[in-house]
Amino acid sequence: MHPRVMVVEDENALSELLKYNLEAEGYEVEVVDRGDDAELRLREQVPDLLLLDWMLPGLSGIELCRRLRLREETEALPVIMLTARSEESERIRGLSTGADDFVVKPFSVPELMARVKAMLRRANPEKISTLLKVGDIEMDRETRRVHRNDREVKLGPTEYKLLEFLLSAPGRVFSRAQLLDGVWGHDNYVDERTVDVHVGRLRRGICRGKEVDPIRTVRGAGYALDDKFSKQ
Ligand code: CA
């Protein structure tokens, strides 16, 4: 599953830029533009990393960070604080805010992406691992290449994401609705039968000759990566 990043930033242009770049890196991104809204949202769902602006309407980033550290669910949540280049930015470095890292605006996007990746890797090594290997199927998420029995498998972008999703939890049965959500995203109005079409394409892509079909169709439930296959 993709690591989830929450961006709390009230400058629209900046949050759009961050969302675009984070999604290009394969993260699931949620943008919130007020500190108080972010606090409420974080009580419902905790992401894998928080990019937090310092100056926010509703509740400041520093205060939000301080409160997060007091709650068990979020005390270890990795937080990168975004601060404006001002005298204040130097001063807040000295404050104990509980942030794990500071980035001063304007920042270089590639540098911030590298810091996000490094922090996620530290906090959650298995989630960010680039190589997924199940049975004789190997997916390298850095190069986006898939191999089966040392043969390179060419997949379309949707089939690739579908396979990535299934490989991330071998044996687990995903309903069509869960696959739609995970692969196509929440905002897509795609028919559940579309899932069947793409599973069919994925099967044709990864199975050659007598190779075992690694995808199990569970009638009335959905699809899974066969756990018998994963134990090969
Ligand atoms: Ca701001």
Side-chain angles (χ1 to χ4, degrees):
M1 239 131 292
H2 303 281
R4 286 173 298 120
V5 177
M6 184 188 279
V7 176
V8 190
E9 169 63 66
D10 58 328
E11 278 169 60
N12 222 295
L14 184 54
S15 58
E16 282 302 309
L17 176 76
L18 290 173
K19 184 174 178 358
Y20 175 83
N21 283 280
L22 288 163
E23 284 180 346
E25 296 282 325
Y27 305 120
E28 236 179 73
V29 183
E30 180 176 354
V31 174
V32 182
D33 61 5
R34 293 180 56 92
D36 46 358
D37 290 346
E39 188 181 29
L40 291 175
R41 190 69 189 109
L42 287 161
R43 284 179 183 272
E44 294 164 6
Q45 203 182 36
V46 181
D48 296 301
L49 185 138
L50 187 63
L51 281 181
L52 181 59
D53 185 27
W54 180 38
M55 292 293 281
L56 287 166
L59 181 69
S60 78
I62 282 184
E63 180 56 20
L64 176 57
C65 193
R66 201 186 61 78
R67 293 186 191 178
L68 292 174
R69 293 303 180 230
L70 298 175
R71 286 180 53 225
E72 200 182 326
E73 298 84 349
T74 49
E75 64 181 1
L77 170 65
V79 176
I80 299 179
M81 189 85 96
L82 307 175
T83 69
R85 189 184 292 281
S86 67
E87 296 149 11
E88 295 294 345
S89 67
E90 286 308 309
R91 197 164 65 82
I92 63 157
R93 278 169 191 274
L95 296 176
S96 67
T97 57
D100 299 282
D101 200 359
F102 285 94
V103 171
V104 178
K105 296 178 187 177
F107 48 80
S108 116
V109 172
E111 193 202 319
L112 178 60
M113 294 301 128
R115 290 205 200 185
V116 166
K117 194 170 189 178
M119 192 161 288
L120 281 168
R121 195 171 268 159
R122 272 205 303 278
N124 213 338
E126 71 286 351
K127 213 160 188 175
I128 200 79
S129 82
T130 56
L131 208 62
L132 282 173
K133 192 175 184 322
V134 177
D136 54 12
I137 297 177
E138 206 175 276
M139 170 180 279
D140 186 333
R141 296 200 274 191
E142 205 136 66
T143 59
R144 294 183 78 85
R145 285 180 194 276
V146 177
H147 285 86
R148 181 165 195 190
N149 286 323
D150 297 326
R151 151 177 73 85
E152 186 172 354
V153 177
K154 298 276 187 199
L155 296 173
T158 306
E159 286 70 39
Y160 177 93
K161 279 180 91 176
L162 195 54
L163 180 62
E164 183 183 22
F165 207 76
L166 293 168
L167 286 175
S168 69
R172 180 170 157 196
V173 180
F174 292 100
S175 68
R176 288 173 177 78
Q178 283 171 325
L179 290 171
L180 275 180
D181 234 32
V183 176
W184 281 265
H186 308 280
D187 317 324
N188 260 295
Y189 298 95
V190 185
D191 196 274
E192 290 196 0
R193 276 169 299 183
T194 307
V195 176
D196 302 330
V197 172
H198 286 277
V199 168
R201 279 191 203 153
L202 174 57
R203 279 185 165 131
R204 287 194 291 281
I206 52 179
C207 298
R208 279 268 174 87
K210 288 194 179 134
E211 282 174 347
V212 181
D213 179 0
I215 301 170
R216 189 161 72 98
T217 305
V218 186
R219 282 187 64 183
Y223 295 101
L225 196 87
D226 202 334
D227 44 2
K228 273 186 240 146
F229 173 80
S230 65
K231 289 189 189 84
Q232 269 184 2

